[in-house]
Amino acid sequence: AFETWRAGSLLVSFVALLAASSAQDLTDAHLCGGGRHSCFLNGTRISCWGEEEYGNNQAPAGDFSAVACGSWHSCGIRADTKKVECFGSGYALHAAPTAEPVLAVSAGFAHSCAVLAQDLSLDCWGPNDALDPPEGAYSRVSLGSRSACALTHPESEIRCWGANEFGQVSGT
């Protein structure tokens, strides 16, 4: 069930996870928050809520293994093909996601990155400063508004790149 109510000028949303019979059922769940929307993946289905102006709530049908929310869009990894499918704002989707199978995906302000399954390299797309990732093998990636960080494999070192006006990449 899904409820939305207004408290003054604040719009409050609540998602009741009635399908889960216990907390154990949610151990593999993915939850993400974007700029004006949120998404939840329980099992293999994506459900989204929030502002609908940019299509952020219109998750594609089908089975997914992961979901990532950006400011104006979201991306999921298809369970059968391991390929990325994005939905939401056309601004964020000017460039197509990688056509290769992936292990992980992250969405930022108007860009996304994925860890490619074949060689653990990063592929990024969209209009942003964080689109030129360093070469190497990675296991995870996380995007900010104009910067990104990824976890190297197998060393587990953090590498960050992109805009650094607030020191968001200089700590690595």
Side-chain angles (χ1 to χ4, degrees):
F2 173 69
E3 293 182 42
T4 301
W5 67 94
R6 190 167 290 282
S9 63
L10 177 66
L11 183 66
V12 180
S13 297
F14 174 73
V15 177
L17 305 173
L18 300 177
S21 60
S22 71
Q24 185 64 29
D25 292 337
L26 299 177
T27 57
D28 291 330
H30 292 256
L31 179 66
C32 63
R36 296 181 181 187
H37 70 291
S38 298
C39 295
F40 175 69
L41 174 72
N42 189 11
T44 61
R45 302 294 178 179
I46 297 175
S47 298
C48 299
W49 59 95
E51 183 178 72
E52 294 187 29
E53 181 179 354
Y54 301 104
N56 299 335
N57 297 348
Q58 299 171 10
D63 295 335
F64 289 84
S65 61
V67 64
C69 295
S71 292
W72 306 105
H73 71 293
S74 294
C75 296
I77 300 175
R78 286 274 178 194
D80 56 349
T81 63
K82 304 297 183 205
K83 294 184 179 182
V84 175
E85 185 169 345
C86 298
F87 57 96
S89 171
Y91 172 73
L93 301 178
H94 282 168
T98 179
E100 301 295 321
V102 304
L103 299 177
V105 66
S106 183
F109 176 72
H111 61 295
S112 301
C113 293
V115 177
L116 301 182
Q118 181 178 6
D119 61 3
L120 302 180
S121 66
L122 293 174
D123 185 30
C124 298
W125 60 94
N128 211 303
D129 295 341
L131 297 178
D132 191 20
E135 291 185 21
Y138 297 92
S139 59
R140 297 201 176 257
V141 61
S142 180
L143 302 184
S145 182
R146 293 182 50 227
S147 61
C149 294
L151 189 63
T152 63
H153 178 79
E155 302 88 3
S156 294
E157 296 174 350
I158 299 171
R159 290 189 188 158
C160 299
W161 67 96
N164 193 36
E165 64 265 43
F166 304 107
Q168 63 266 44
V169 300
S170 62
T172 60

